[in-house]
Structures are given as C-alpha cells and as structure tokens.
Amino acid sequence: QSVIYVHYRKTALVNIYKMINMFSALSKYFIKKYYKHLFDQNKKIINKKTYILLVFDIIIINLAYFLALFLRFDGSLIQIPRIYLKAFENYALINTVITIAIYSAFKLYRIILEYASYTELIKITQAVALSLLVHIFGISILFQRMPLSYFVYGFLIQYTFTVGIRFANKMFIQGKYNL
C-alpha cells in the first residue's frame, strides 16, 4: 500500500513539474514577443492613461462592494457578520480579475477620455451590469449568499465611480470653456 502511495505522489509531483515547465515556456514566449512593445513608445500595449484607469478601476471595484457591506450594516464594521466579510475578502481578487476582463472586452480602456460620449456611457452600463451578474452568481456559488442590498449598493457605487472617473476629464474640459 505504501508503494502505491509513493508512486501516486511521485506521479503527482511529475505532473506539477510538467505544468510549471509548460507555464514557464509560455510566459517566456509571450515576454519575448511582447516585451519590446511594452516599452516601445510607438507601440505601447499599456499607455499612461490606460494604466491610471486600470489602477482606479481596481480601487473602485473593491471599494464599491466593501462600501456596500459597510452601508448595508448601518456604517459599522463591527456589525458586519464575519461570514459576509470573509466571503467578500475571498471573492475580491476573483471579482477584480473578472471585472477587469469584462471592461477590457467592452473596450473601456480604449475610450479616448476627452471624447467620451453617450455610446461610451452605454458600454460602461453594459459592462458594469454584466460584472454585477457575474458577481452575484460567483460569490453566491463559490462562497456565501450575500444580502440583496449588498448587490444593489455595490452596483450603484461601482457604476457611479466608473462613470465619474471616465467622464471627469470631459466635464473638467467642458467646464473650463463654459466659464
């Protein structure tokens, strides 16, 4: 019986080693292919504005649902049940990655901020709504069913901040010329 266990353990370690090598080879390939574009001024994959939007989006995504929990339980951290706080903490990284992927799919990082219009507002609305649906199903299935108000508050806060960040530059420019 111990021989079978040793063989099984050895096979598992070999499989893990193969997966690490495959991941390493893939990452080396992508780094070789795209490394020069990251720093080439004419072919940047992530420019400065996109990077700033990405950082703000990561903050907004996590802050929105934390504030939703905070508001749901009368603005008191002590009153938030541990199961809800733990579910939020465990799902935060997953939610961030999925939401950034959704935003990228809706091309929210290609919007020229000075020319943001009604079309971009529709894209933002669709992206945040899809993010909400994924959040509802993801956190409920993987961790814990959350209160309905958590999702409502989280959506409203995330939507308001996302629109605000993307349209703030346009509002500032238009306000400057309307004075």
Side-chain angles (χ1 to χ4, degrees):
Q1 200 175 26
S2 65
V3 173
I4 294 172
Y5 175 74
V6 170
H7 177 69
Y8 173 75
R9 190 170 165 197
K10 186 177 178 183
T11 306
L13 290 173
V14 168
N15 287 338
I16 291 170
Y17 179 74
K18 286 180 183 178
M19 286 173 45
I20 290 170
N21 281 339
M22 184 178 72
F23 178 74
S24 176
L26 281 172
S27 56
K28 284 179 186 176
Y29 169 76
F30 283 111
I31 287 172
K32 267 187 194 176
K33 186 170 182 174
Y34 295 110
Y35 180 77
K36 64 180 179 184
H37 296 299
L38 286 171
F39 300 103
D40 184 6
Q41 294 299 321
N42 298 327
K43 296 182 179 182
K44 280 189 177 178
I45 292 176
I46 299 178
N47 61 24
K48 189 175 181 180
K49 287 182 182 180
T50 303
Y51 181 75
I52 291 169
L53 273 178
L54 190 64
V55 169
F56 274 120
D57 282 343
I58 291 169
I59 293 168
I60 288 168
I61 291 162
N62 291 297
L63 183 64
Y65 285 97
F66 177 75
L67 285 175
L69 265 180
F70 187 72
L71 292 173
R72 165 63 178 90
F73 292 99
D74 301 325
S76 174
L77 287 175
I78 298 168
Q79 289 185 359
I80 301 173
R82 285 188 189 263
I83 55 171
Y84 293 146
L85 203 52
K86 196 70 175 161
F88 166 76
E89 289 173 0
N90 291 335
Y91 192 67
L93 180 62
I94 298 168
N95 183 43
T96 303
V97 170
I98 291 172
T99 302
I100 296 298
I102 290 170
Y103 284 9
S104 296
F106 278 87
K107 297 181 173 77
L108 295 188
Y109 296 109
R110 294 188 181 181
I111 295 172
I112 300 172
L113 298 175
E114 291 81 10
Y115 305 110
S117 67
Y118 181 72
T119 306
E120 283 74 23
L121 184 64
I122 296 299
K123 282 184 180 181
I124 293 169
T125 305
Q126 292 170 339
V128 175
L130 181 59
S131 171
L132 170 69
L133 292 175
V134 171
H135 189 95
I136 291 170
F137 289 113
I139 199 166
S140 298
I141 291 170
L142 295 176
F143 298 105
Q144 171 71 33
R145 187 177 178 284
M146 302 294 271
L148 181 62
S149 58
Y150 164 79
F151 298 115
V152 173
Y153 291 153
F155 169 77
L156 292 174
I157 295 168
Q158 182 180 350
Y159 181 73
T160 303
F161 286 175
T162 303
V163 169
I165 288 296
R166 285 179 169 69
F167 282 85
N169 196 20
K170 182 177 177 133
M171 290 184 283
F172 177 73
I173 290 171
Q174 286 182 346
K176 184 167 70 173
Y177 293 115
N178 288 337
L179 292 178

